[in-house]
Amino acid sequence: MHVKALVFDVFGTLVDWRSSIAREVDARFGGQVDGAAFADAWRAQYQPAMEEVRAGRLPYCKLDVLHRRNLDIVLEHFALDCDDATRDELNRVWHRLDAWPDVRPGLLRLREKYRLAPCSNGHIALMVNLARHNGFIWDAITGAELARDYKPRPTVYLCAASAFDLAPDEVMMVAAHSSDLEAAAMAGLRTAFIARPDEYGAGQGERTASVSVDVEVGKLIELADQL
């Protein structure tokens, strides 16, 4: 391999969206709803909303817009009511998700030899805010907003490589989701799987890749060791 840059999935791979959202929902709604169940329901709307864009039924829009639409659906499902200002503030929880403990030291180690960037369905402002919240240091921000489309469309991965003036096989996609890595590999990128077995709750995440990958590890620091 002649990898020169690593690009990362963010939601689930670098940040623990479920625990972060559940904590804020529990604090805001005071026992009216189970925060973890709310987080799961909100996340369940994620792929269907993006598919509206991928299929051309909606023009490209930033993920904040889709998350806000999805939030209205989930609030109605749980029979929770709040004003627009409260909904907008709750929607911003995606900008302050907490990272998994191994991420910041792992990124610092990897940055010694590789260029690093997120390759997320989150837009640039969202990625900047997550980086500042968690102390991530990026060399660039790539992903959906740059490509004007959503993963797993090939253009998202190819735009990430192009942003660094690199060939696809000089870039490694790092993710905790086999489907993301499968799509990246089909676009010509190298792939690394990071296990996040608790992403959807205890024992409810992917422990091993279900597709062929170049590297498979349990923690981000282990990826640095292998590379």
Side-chain angles (χ1 to χ4, degrees):
M1 292 187 295
H2 301 284
V3 172
K4 297 178 180 178
L6 307 179
V7 296
F8 296 80
D9 174 64
V10 175
F11 302 120
T13 300
L14 301 185
V15 297
D16 179 4
W17 58 267
R18 188 175 191 265
S19 296
S20 301
I21 292 171
R23 184 171 57 249
E24 291 217 18
V25 169
D26 285 337
R28 186 174 295 275
F29 291 106
Q32 298 178 63
V33 63
D34 177 77
F38 190 98
D40 290 338
W42 200 355
R43 182 68 171 180
Q45 297 292 327
Y46 179 70
Q47 287 295 341
M50 289 187 298
E51 184 56 29
E52 292 295 298
V53 176
R54 289 190 292 251
R57 291 186 290 270
L58 283 176
Y60 173 79
C61 56
K62 295 180 182 182
L63 191 58
D64 273 352
V65 175
L66 299 182
H67 275 156
R68 181 66 170 76
R69 288 160 54 101
N70 295 342
L71 175 59
D72 290 342
I73 294 170
V74 177
L75 286 169
E76 182 177 359
H77 173 77
F78 284 98
L80 296 170
D81 192 25
C82 50
D83 59 25
D84 283 342
T86 301
R87 291 171 188 241
D88 289 343
E89 175 58 23
L90 182 57
N91 199 47
R92 296 280 296 180
V93 68
W94 293 93
H95 292 243
R96 50 183 181 266
L97 305 174
D98 293 336
W100 299 106
D102 63 299
V103 172
R104 189 169 183 273
L107 290 178
L108 288 172
R109 174 91 174 276
L110 288 164
R111 196 166 183 266
E112 294 174 7
K113 292 189 176 181
Y114 300 96
R115 285 168 273 181
L116 307 182
C119 183
S120 171
N121 285 324
H123 49 286
I124 292 170
L126 200 166
M127 292 297 105
V128 168
N129 290 334
L130 283 178
R132 293 181 68 85
H133 179 70
N134 290 291
F136 301 160
I137 300 175
W138 298 121
D139 295 300
I141 294 177
T142 68
E145 188 172 3
L146 190 66
R148 310 296 290 180
D149 207 342
Y150 285 110
K151 294 186 300 179
R153 294 292 294 273
T155 186
V156 184
Y157 308 102
L158 294 174
C159 277
S162 177
F164 282 114
D165 287 338
L166 296 176
D169 65 356
E170 294 178 303
V171 179
M172 175 173 280
M173 180 71 198
V174 183
H177 311 117
S178 296
S179 59
D180 198 357
L181 296 174
E182 182 177 39
M186 290 179 66
L189 278 67
R190 298 292 188 172
T191 54
F193 176 84
I194 306 293
R196 297 296 183 206
D198 300 327
E199 179 184 356
Y200 290 89
Q204 299 300 308
E206 288 191 58
R207 294 181 176 275
T208 60
S210 61
V211 299
S212 178
V213 296
D214 293 298
V215 182
E216 183 166 348
V217 295
K219 300 291 183 183
L220 208 56
I221 202 73
E222 294 173 22
L223 178 60
D225 289 340
Q226 289 211 26
L227 292 182

